Short mmCIF file of all heavy atoms in Angstrom, two decimals:
data_model
loop_
_atom_site.label_atom_id
_atom_site.label_comp_id
_atom_site.label_asym_id
_atom_site.label_seq_id
_atom_site.Cartn_x
_atom_site.Cartn_y
_atom_site.Cartn_z
N GLU A 824 -12.77 -3.33 5.98
CA GLU A 824 -13.39 -4.24 5.03
C GLU A 824 -13.22 -5.69 5.42
O GLU A 824 -14.15 -6.47 5.43
CB GLU A 824 -12.77 -4.00 3.67
CG GLU A 824 -13.39 -4.77 2.59
CD GLU A 824 -13.03 -4.18 1.24
OE1 GLU A 824 -12.76 -2.95 1.19
OE2 GLU A 824 -13.02 -4.90 0.28
N PHE A 825 -11.99 -6.04 5.75
CA PHE A 825 -11.73 -7.39 6.22
C PHE A 825 -11.60 -7.32 7.72
O PHE A 825 -10.52 -7.11 8.25
CB PHE A 825 -10.46 -7.94 5.60
CG PHE A 825 -10.57 -8.12 4.14
CD1 PHE A 825 -10.08 -7.19 3.26
CD2 PHE A 825 -11.21 -9.25 3.63
CE1 PHE A 825 -10.22 -7.37 1.91
CE2 PHE A 825 -11.35 -9.44 2.29
CZ PHE A 825 -10.84 -8.49 1.41
N SER A 826 -12.73 -7.42 8.40
CA SER A 826 -12.61 -7.18 9.83
C SER A 826 -12.46 -8.49 10.56
O SER A 826 -13.43 -9.17 10.81
CB SER A 826 -13.80 -6.39 10.33
OG SER A 826 -14.97 -6.82 9.70
N PHE A 827 -11.26 -8.86 10.82
CA PHE A 827 -10.97 -10.01 11.65
C PHE A 827 -10.93 -9.54 13.09
O PHE A 827 -10.71 -8.37 13.37
CB PHE A 827 -9.64 -10.61 11.25
CG PHE A 827 -9.67 -11.18 9.87
CD1 PHE A 827 -9.22 -10.44 8.79
CD2 PHE A 827 -10.14 -12.46 9.63
CE1 PHE A 827 -9.26 -10.96 7.51
CE2 PHE A 827 -10.18 -12.98 8.36
CZ PHE A 827 -9.74 -12.24 7.30
N ARG A 828 -11.07 -10.47 14.01
CA ARG A 828 -11.07 -10.06 15.41
C ARG A 828 -9.71 -9.58 15.85
O ARG A 828 -9.58 -8.60 16.55
CB ARG A 828 -11.54 -11.19 16.30
CG ARG A 828 -12.99 -11.44 16.10
CD ARG A 828 -13.46 -12.55 16.99
NE ARG A 828 -13.47 -12.13 18.38
CZ ARG A 828 -14.09 -12.81 19.32
NH1 ARG A 828 -14.71 -13.92 19.00
NH2 ARG A 828 -14.07 -12.41 20.56
N VAL A 829 -8.71 -10.30 15.46
CA VAL A 829 -7.36 -9.91 15.88
C VAL A 829 -6.50 -9.57 14.66
O VAL A 829 -5.75 -8.59 14.68
CB VAL A 829 -6.71 -11.06 16.69
CG1 VAL A 829 -5.34 -10.61 17.17
CG2 VAL A 829 -7.58 -11.45 17.86
N GLY A 830 -6.54 -10.36 13.62
CA GLY A 830 -5.68 -10.18 12.50
C GLY A 830 -5.95 -8.90 11.72
O GLY A 830 -7.05 -8.38 11.74
N ASP A 831 -4.92 -8.42 11.06
CA ASP A 831 -5.06 -7.27 10.21
C ASP A 831 -4.33 -7.59 8.91
O ASP A 831 -3.17 -7.97 8.93
CB ASP A 831 -4.40 -6.06 10.89
CG ASP A 831 -4.48 -4.80 10.04
OD1 ASP A 831 -3.75 -4.72 9.04
OD2 ASP A 831 -5.29 -3.95 10.36
N ILE A 832 -5.06 -7.45 7.81
CA ILE A 832 -4.48 -7.93 6.55
C ILE A 832 -3.17 -7.24 6.18
O ILE A 832 -2.35 -7.82 5.50
CB ILE A 832 -5.46 -7.82 5.38
CG1 ILE A 832 -5.96 -6.39 5.25
CG2 ILE A 832 -6.62 -8.79 5.55
CD1 ILE A 832 -6.65 -6.13 3.93
N TYR A 833 -2.99 -6.01 6.64
CA TYR A 833 -1.76 -5.31 6.29
C TYR A 833 -0.60 -5.73 7.19
O TYR A 833 0.41 -6.22 6.72
CB TYR A 833 -1.96 -3.79 6.42
CG TYR A 833 -2.91 -3.24 5.42
CD1 TYR A 833 -4.22 -3.02 5.74
CD2 TYR A 833 -2.48 -2.97 4.12
CE1 TYR A 833 -5.11 -2.52 4.80
CE2 TYR A 833 -3.35 -2.48 3.19
CZ TYR A 833 -4.67 -2.24 3.53
OH TYR A 833 -5.53 -1.77 2.61
N SER A 834 -0.79 -5.52 8.49
CA SER A 834 0.35 -5.78 9.37
C SER A 834 0.61 -7.28 9.50
O SER A 834 1.69 -7.69 9.86
CB SER A 834 0.15 -5.12 10.72
OG SER A 834 -1.16 -5.31 11.16
N ASP A 835 -0.39 -8.09 9.20
CA ASP A 835 -0.20 -9.54 9.31
C ASP A 835 -0.12 -10.20 7.93
O ASP A 835 -0.48 -11.37 7.79
CB ASP A 835 -1.33 -10.16 10.12
CG ASP A 835 -1.38 -9.59 11.53
OD1 ASP A 835 -0.30 -9.49 12.14
OD2 ASP A 835 -2.46 -9.23 12.00
N ALA A 836 0.33 -9.44 6.97
CA ALA A 836 0.37 -9.97 5.60
C ALA A 836 1.20 -11.27 5.52
O ALA A 836 0.84 -12.18 4.76
CB ALA A 836 0.94 -8.91 4.64
N ALA A 837 2.25 -11.33 6.30
CA ALA A 837 3.12 -12.52 6.24
C ALA A 837 2.35 -13.75 6.76
O ALA A 837 2.45 -14.84 6.19
CB ALA A 837 4.37 -12.30 7.05
N ILE A 838 1.59 -13.57 7.84
CA ILE A 838 0.80 -14.68 8.38
C ILE A 838 -0.30 -15.08 7.40
O ILE A 838 -0.60 -16.26 7.22
CB ILE A 838 0.20 -14.31 9.77
CG1 ILE A 838 1.29 -13.79 10.70
CG2 ILE A 838 -0.53 -15.49 10.38
CD1 ILE A 838 0.77 -13.31 12.06
N LEU A 839 -0.86 -14.06 6.76
CA LEU A 839 -1.90 -14.35 5.76
C LEU A 839 -1.34 -15.24 4.67
O LEU A 839 -2.00 -16.20 4.23
CB LEU A 839 -2.37 -13.02 5.17
CG LEU A 839 -3.55 -13.07 4.23
CD1 LEU A 839 -4.83 -13.50 4.97
CD2 LEU A 839 -3.80 -11.72 3.57
N LYS A 840 -0.15 -14.97 4.24
CA LYS A 840 0.48 -15.77 3.18
C LYS A 840 0.71 -17.20 3.69
O LYS A 840 0.42 -18.16 2.97
CB LYS A 840 1.82 -15.10 2.81
CG LYS A 840 2.65 -15.83 1.78
CD LYS A 840 2.18 -15.47 0.39
CE LYS A 840 3.01 -16.10 -0.73
NZ LYS A 840 2.94 -17.55 -0.77
N GLN A 841 1.19 -17.32 4.92
CA GLN A 841 1.43 -18.66 5.48
C GLN A 841 0.13 -19.46 5.56
O GLN A 841 0.07 -20.62 5.19
CB GLN A 841 2.05 -18.55 6.87
CG GLN A 841 3.49 -18.08 6.86
CD GLN A 841 4.09 -18.00 8.25
OE1 GLN A 841 3.38 -17.77 9.23
NE2 GLN A 841 5.40 -18.19 8.35
N ALA A 842 -0.92 -18.78 6.05
CA ALA A 842 -2.21 -19.48 6.19
C ALA A 842 -2.73 -19.88 4.82
O ALA A 842 -3.28 -20.97 4.64
CB ALA A 842 -3.21 -18.57 6.89
N SER A 843 -2.54 -19.00 3.86
CA SER A 843 -3.02 -19.29 2.51
C SER A 843 -2.29 -20.51 1.94
O SER A 843 -2.91 -21.42 1.37
CB SER A 843 -2.76 -18.06 1.63
OG SER A 843 -2.97 -18.38 0.29
N ASP A 844 -0.98 -20.58 2.12
CA ASP A 844 -0.22 -21.74 1.63
C ASP A 844 -0.68 -23.01 2.35
O ASP A 844 -0.81 -24.07 1.73
CB ASP A 844 1.29 -21.54 1.88
CG ASP A 844 1.85 -20.45 0.96
OD1 ASP A 844 1.14 -20.07 0.01
OD2 ASP A 844 2.97 -19.99 1.22
N ALA A 845 -0.92 -22.89 3.64
CA ALA A 845 -1.32 -24.07 4.42
C ALA A 845 -2.68 -24.57 3.94
O ALA A 845 -2.87 -25.78 3.75
CB ALA A 845 -1.38 -23.71 5.90
N VAL A 846 -3.61 -23.66 3.69
CA VAL A 846 -4.94 -24.07 3.21
C VAL A 846 -4.79 -24.76 1.84
O VAL A 846 -5.36 -25.84 1.61
CB VAL A 846 -5.89 -22.86 3.08
CG1 VAL A 846 -7.15 -23.23 2.34
CG2 VAL A 846 -6.23 -22.30 4.45
N ASP A 847 -3.99 -24.14 0.98
CA ASP A 847 -3.83 -24.73 -0.36
C ASP A 847 -3.27 -26.15 -0.26
O ASP A 847 -3.71 -27.05 -0.99
CB ASP A 847 -2.86 -23.88 -1.19
CG ASP A 847 -3.56 -22.61 -1.69
OD1 ASP A 847 -4.81 -22.57 -1.60
OD2 ASP A 847 -2.87 -21.69 -2.13
#
Side-chain angles (χ1 to χ4, degrees):
E824 185 162 334
F825 293 98
S826 39
F827 295 95
R828 289 181 70 166
V829 183
D831 179 286
I832 55 165
Y833 292 98
S834 43
D835 300 314
I838 307 176
L839 186 66
K840 177 84 176 65
Q841 289 181 330
S843 169
D844 290 347
V846 169
D847 284 346

